[in-house]
Structure formats: structure tokens, C-alpha cells
Amino acid sequence: SSGINAEWPLRPGVCVGMVSLVFIFVYAAVPESPYWLLAKGQDDVATMVLKRIAILNGKQYPEVQPAIPVIKAREKVMSFFKPKYQRVGCLLCLNWVLVGMAYYHIFLTIDTYGEYGNPDEGKIPYALLRKTNFIVALGAEVPAAIIGVAVLTSLLGRKFSYILNLVIFAVCSAVSLVQYEVVKDWDIRRGAILIGAKMSITAAKMILALWTAELSPTTIRTLMFGLGLGSCSVGVVLASALLFFAASPMVSVIIMLVIAVICIGASTQIHDTKNWNLPDHLFDVYKNMNINNDDAVYSDLQSEAQNNTATVL
């Protein structure tokens, strides 16, 4: 009587399960990181992996093995709380919460874009409208990854590219707020706003992942990714709560606009990482950020980096 197919939740579950089976074979074919193997003392396995990679790339593996410095210390959670880096980590987590909230807000509200009704009256059925919107939104992630991440970050750097995408998202939110009644109609303006918002916030999310990796030393990189993804999940919960408690859709759009402004302000306080070498230790991050005015802290980090690095192969 409700017109809802009771089996619909099963279908996406089956599709996701089939894709997961494919990834099992993909992961089996991808070798373990030689760097990680060396850090764990598995030099022979690392050598085999490097030889396999050389064969796949059509290269000759050198008979004289080069000296490779790798970390030999386990990850230190307390590195996150070091002076100056703690501020960077907190700002990254804040951005992950807010970007995650904005990113999933679009997915949760995407079926509200456009006018639907009885097909006999020349209107678009609700089911077709939802599918079309989801296809458009997901399709927008492809150019977002190519243009917003691969091109912009290499030309303009991480910080400027991230802020630029947030500005575009803020403009789309502002336009949809000013023309709220207009964008509900199925027309070019509605589609442009939807695609623009989805592309920009997707690119911002991808750039933030790249930025987090380049600001995180190897010793705590997985910790930073865990904190980032966990913060993003908090944003998902907040996006759901926002739509549940918001008095009207316009309120949630206003909050998205505020989120974009806060993210822009927070990101201006984080160093750009363009042309950085991927850091192994917190000392490398401080060196890249030219933070050496605190001689005691800087000297301790340098000594710790030297003690926790081994040369192998």
C-alpha cells in the first residue's frame, strides 16, 4: 500500500557484496609495502617484492642493493601531542568533521532536488528522480578527482586548491539559499548548483586526505588517518542529526555555508605541503614547516629521528 518495495535494501547489499569479492582478489595481487617489510625486519621478503615490482615495470633490479633508511620504531601516539604539531592535528580533525558533514549532507538531501509527481501529468516519478540525482552526483566525482585533485594540487598546491573548492561549495550553497524556490525545479540552474556543490566538496575531501598524509610522519600516519576518518564519521552523524532536527531545509543550507567558511578559516592556519618530501618523523615535519625556533624541542626531535632510523639492504 505504501508503494515501497520491501526488497530494495537487499539489492544494494548484494551489489556491495559482489564488489567486495572483487577487492579480495585485488588485495591478493597487490604486494605488501617494501618499506613496511623493511621496518619489520623482513628484508628477504622486501627484496622479493622489489624484484617483482622491477619486473612489472620492465626494469633491471640492481645487483648492488642501495642503502635504504627506514624507521625502526613503532608508532608513537604521543607524537600527536607534541608542541605545535598538536595544533595542526586538531585543525585537520576539525576539517575532517566539517567536510564529512558537508559531503554526506548532499547525499542525504540529493533526492529533494527537482520536482516529482504523477507521470500522467507530465512530471518525473520520484523513483526516477532519485536515481537520476544519484547518478549525476556520483558521476560528478570523476571530474572532481581529475580536475580538483590531480590538476589543481599539482599546479596550485594543497592549501589553495582546498580553499578554492570550499569557496565554490560556499558559493553553490549561497546561490541555492537565495534561489531556494528556483532550484527545486528541474532545470539547468538546479543541475549546475548540484554538480558544482558535489564536485567541489568531493575534491575538498580528497585533497584533505592527501594533505593529511603529507602532514603526518610515517611514525603516526595511520593514527592520523584513523583520526581523520573517525572525525569524518562524526560528521556523517552530525549531518543526519542536522536534517532530523532542522526546522527547514533552508536552515541546513545555511549551516553548510557556515561550515565552508569555518573550514576556509581553519585551513589558512595549516602549512601547504606542495613539493614536500613525505616525512618519516615529526622532525621532518618541523623542518618542512621551518619550525626550529625552539632549540630544545627541535634538538630532541632530531635526536629521536636519528635513533629510530636504521639503514638496511
Side-chain angles (χ1 to χ4, degrees):
S1 58
S2 62
I4 299 178
N5 187 346
E7 297 181 357
W8 76 265
L10 180 63
R11 296 175 183 174
V14 172
C15 293
V16 171
M18 294 175 64
V19 173
S20 300
L21 291 176
V22 175
F23 275 108
I24 292 176
F25 297 101
V26 172
Y27 283 124
V30 175
E32 184 56 82
S33 165
Y35 194 91
W36 183 87
L37 292 170
L38 292 172
K40 297 300 180 181
Q42 302 180 37
D43 298 5
D44 294 338
V45 181
T47 302
M48 291 176 59
V49 172
L50 289 172
K51 289 181 177 179
R52 177 183 172 189
I53 294 174
I55 293 173
L56 291 175
N57 292 332
K59 303 291 184 180
Q60 183 69 33
Y61 188 76
E63 296 183 3
V64 179
Q65 299 176 348
I68 303 175
V70 298
I71 57 170
K72 63 179 181 180
R74 301 190 59 164
E75 293 184 353
K76 297 182 178 180
V77 177
M78 292 306 296
S79 297
F80 176 81
F81 300 99
K82 292 286 186 180
K84 296 182 176 64
Y85 189 77
Q86 180 183 2
R87 181 168 172 266
V88 173
C90 291
L91 287 173
L92 285 173
C93 289
L94 174 63
N95 275 271
W96 272 108
V97 172
L98 299 179
V99 169
M101 188 176 178
Y103 179 83
Y104 286 99
H105 176 270
I106 293 181
F107 267 113
L108 294 173
T109 60
I110 199 170
D111 58 341
T112 63
Y113 285 84
E115 184 179 1
Y116 59 90
N118 192 337
D120 297 334
E121 298 176 0
K123 296 183 178 180
I124 300 175
Y126 179 64
L128 178 59
L129 176 69
R130 290 193 64 190
K131 293 178 181 178
T132 303
N133 284 344
F134 275 114
I135 292 173
V136 170
L138 292 173
E141 295 200 3
V142 177
I146 298 174
I147 301 174
V149 182
V151 177
L152 285 180
T153 54
S154 61
L155 295 176
L156 306 177
R158 283 53 166 161
K159 177 188 286 189
F160 189 83
S161 301
Y162 182 70
I163 293 176
L164 178 61
N165 280 285
L166 289 175
V167 169
I168 296 174
F169 178 76
V171 169
C172 292
S173 299
V175 171
S176 64
L177 183 63
V178 173
Q179 298 185 338
Y180 179 71
E181 294 299 326
V182 176
V183 299
K184 289 195 301 182
D185 298 330
W186 186 275
D187 58 13
I188 296 178
R189 283 174 294 181
R190 183 211 65 83
I193 293 172
L194 173 65
I195 294 174
K198 186 64 173 64
M199 285 182 62
S200 58
I201 200 62
T202 299
K205 186 169 178 280
M206 293 179 179
I207 294 171
L208 186 58
L210 174 64
W211 209 0
T212 301
E214 294 178 340
L215 279 167
S216 306
T218 303
T219 49
I220 58 169
R221 188 165 296 130
T222 54
L223 167 67
M224 288 303 299
F225 265 118
L227 288 174
L229 295 176
S231 301
C232 185
S233 299
V234 172
V236 176
V237 176
L238 292 177
S240 304
L242 171 64
L243 293 175
F244 183 79
F245 292 106
S248 69
M250 293 185 66
V251 174
S252 62
V253 174
I254 293 174
I255 294 178
M256 291 302 106
L257 182 58
V258 173
I259 283 175
V261 173
I262 295 175
C263 285
I264 291 173
S267 61
T268 58
Q269 304 301 312
I270 306 175
H271 287 73
D272 196 358
T273 57
K274 185 180 180 182
N275 299 325
W276 275 26
N277 292 323
L278 203 61
D280 278 336
H281 300 278
L282 200 56
F283 168 73
D284 301 322
V285 179
Y286 277 45
K287 185 170 61 176
N288 288 334
M289 294 192 297
N290 294 319
I291 299 177
N292 56 6
N293 53 355
D294 192 336
D295 294 336
V297 173
Y298 197 73
S299 177
D300 290 344
L301 289 174
Q302 185 177 20
S303 176
E304 179 183 321
Q306 292 173 348
N307 293 334
N308 292 331
T309 302
T311 302
V312 298
L313 287 185

